[in-house]
């Protein structure tokens, strides 16, 4: 009986939070699912039931397939670059040298900046008329004339990846740096005495301590990169010629620009399902890593 009362009291204490979650998350999700089976417009008409037509049209359309490829490419390349840069930065900042504390503080700055501010800064850097990148490359003799880095389909996505890496690699570096603090100094000193080179010390001594934290950073950054919207919207709005249009941009355009609420809702649920699959993989990898330890 006392145990039942404790359980009941716990649920009563959680009741306000559950009500808020249902109101903020549950009801909008249910309404989105309902909309996805209709041809409703954003303004004007409630729309009629169309079954799975929206899903079939979205999944079979070339826009979705191209956006999925763009999103996957952006996520894979940006996350891979962020992991490498983050680990290298952490290894550097783990060394003892004058000004290390100040450099650690400065490294956090790109990550601490709001994404909109970061995107605006990189738009100015890439500006085809007065951008700092064009000026620097021209003065160094690498290019002959100014280029529109965000206006060429072959360059725009690469330029966005660079901006995203600059924004997010400090997070990986901080996680790796925290993990490096747990590496026993006597083990690294013993490996040095035994004649192990820098690569072997990193592979056999340091990497086992980094593997778990880096796995967390890897999956979290992959999920975030797969959902990317703000930095791309501010810098290119999915252009030029839709070469940087990701799934999140496509959802926004379908639901708000084209005002097709029904198909936009179905596309949003498809993206949610893909992100959920990534989240489940994340949980499985974490359990596997915990079991290995």
């Amino acid at each position: 009986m006392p145990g039942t009362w404790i359980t009941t009291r716990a649920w009563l204490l959680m009741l306000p939070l559950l009500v808020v979650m249902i109101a903020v998350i549950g009801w909008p999700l249910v309404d989105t699912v309902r909309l996805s089976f209709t041809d409703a417009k954003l303004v004007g008409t409630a729309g009629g039931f169309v079954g799975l037509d929206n899903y079939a049209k979205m999944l079979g359309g070339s826009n979705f397939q191209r956006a999925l490829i763009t999103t996957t490419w952006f996520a894979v390349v940006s996350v891979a670059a962020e992991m490498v840069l983050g680990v290298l930065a952490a290894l550097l900042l783990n060394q003892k040298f004058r000004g290390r504390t100040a450099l650690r503080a400065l490294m956090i700055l790109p990550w601490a900046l709001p994404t909109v501010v970061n995107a605006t800064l990189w738009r100015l850097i890439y500006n085809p008329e007065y951008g700092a990148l064009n000026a620097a490359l021209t003065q160094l003799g690498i290019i002959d004339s100014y280029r529109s880095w965000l206006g060429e389909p072959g360059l725009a996505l690469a330029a966005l990846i660079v901006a995203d890496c600059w924004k997010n690699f400090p997070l990986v570096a901080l996680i790796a740096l925290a993990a490096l603090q747990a590496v026993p100094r006597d083990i690294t000193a013993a490996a040095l005495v035994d004649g192990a080179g820098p690569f072997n010390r990193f592979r056999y001594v340091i990497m086992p301590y980094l593997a778990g934290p880096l796995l967390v950073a890897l999956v979290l950054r992959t999920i975030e990169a797969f959902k990317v919207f703000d930095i791309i919207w501010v810098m290119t709005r999915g252009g030029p010629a839709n070469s940087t249009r990701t799934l999140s941009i496509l959802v926004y355009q379908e639901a708000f620009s084209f005002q097709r609420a029904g198909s936009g809702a179905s596309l949003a649920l498809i993206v949610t399902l893909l992100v959920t699959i990534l989240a489940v993989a994340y949980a499985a990898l974490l359990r596997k890593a915990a079991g290995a330890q």
Side-chain angles (χ1 to χ4, degrees):
M1 189 69 178
T4 304
W5 164 241
I6 291 175
T7 302
T8 303
R9 185 169 60 178
W11 279 105
L12 288 175
L13 291 173
M14 292 175 59
L15 185 60
L17 175 62
L18 293 175
V19 172
V20 172
M21 290 183 64
I22 292 174
V24 174
I25 300 175
W27 169 246
L29 180 61
V30 171
D31 194 52
T32 301
V33 173
R34 179 191 65 81
L35 276 176
S36 70
F37 294 107
T38 70
D39 58 354
K41 303 297 182 183
L42 189 63
V43 178
T45 175
F49 181 77
V50 296
L52 297 174
D53 288 353
N54 287 331
Y55 292 93
K57 182 178 69 175
M58 290 294 104
L59 291 173
S62 60
N63 288 336
F64 172 81
Q65 295 170 9
R66 184 178 178 184
L68 179 61
I69 293 172
T70 302
T71 303
T72 304
W73 180 252
F74 178 90
V76 170
V77 177
S78 63
V79 172
E82 289 162 17
M83 297 299 293
V84 173
L85 291 174
V87 171
L88 292 176
L91 291 173
L92 172 64
L93 294 176
N94 195 46
Q95 306 300 315
K96 293 182 179 180
F97 57 89
R98 186 183 299 273
R100 182 179 66 169
T101 302
L103 190 58
R104 285 179 176 180
L106 286 175
M107 187 191 66
I108 303 175
L109 184 60
W111 180 60
L113 283 176
T115 304
V116 174
V117 176
N118 174 65
T120 303
L121 288 174
W122 279 97
R123 279 188 64 187
L124 294 174
I125 292 172
Y126 289 138
N127 189 281
E129 298 178 359
Y130 51 81
L133 180 60
N134 275 321
L137 294 180
T138 303
Q139 292 175 8
L140 292 172
I142 298 176
I143 59 175
D144 297 327
S145 59
Y146 281 21
R147 303 187 64 174
S148 179
W149 301 99
L150 298 178
E152 300 181 26
L155 295 175
L157 187 60
L160 289 173
I161 290 173
V162 171
D164 186 73
C165 289
W166 186 82
K167 161 72 176 173
N168 292 301
F169 92 87
L171 174 62
V172 180
L174 287 175
I175 293 174
L177 183 59
L180 286 173
Q181 307 304 307
V183 179
R185 299 295 180 183
D186 55 344
I187 296 180
T188 56
L192 185 61
V193 170
D194 289 340
F199 178 77
N200 285 331
R201 289 201 305 272
F202 175 78
R203 180 180 179 183
Y204 296 108
V205 179
I206 297 175
M207 194 60 197
Y209 289 90
L210 288 179
L214 285 182
L215 177 61
V216 175
L218 171 66
V219 183
L220 288 177
R221 280 301 307 136
T222 301
I223 294 175
E224 287 299 318
F226 200 83
K227 299 187 303 180
V228 65
F229 174 84
D230 42 10
I231 191 170
I232 295 179
W233 185 255
V234 172
M235 293 182 69
T236 65
R237 294 185 181 269
N242 296 326
S243 61
T244 62
R245 183 167 65 179
T246 59
L247 289 174
S248 296
I249 298 290
L250 184 60
V251 170
Y252 177 87
Q253 291 177 339
E254 188 71 22
F256 297 101
S257 298
F258 306 143
Q259 298 192 359
R260 294 192 284 258
S263 56
S266 64
L267 184 57
L269 290 174
I270 292 171
V271 175
T272 301
L273 177 61
L274 293 175
V275 174
T276 302
I277 292 173
L278 288 176
V280 171
Y282 158 69
L285 285 172
L286 282 184
R287 284 196 300 268
K288 184 177 179 179
Q293 294 176 354

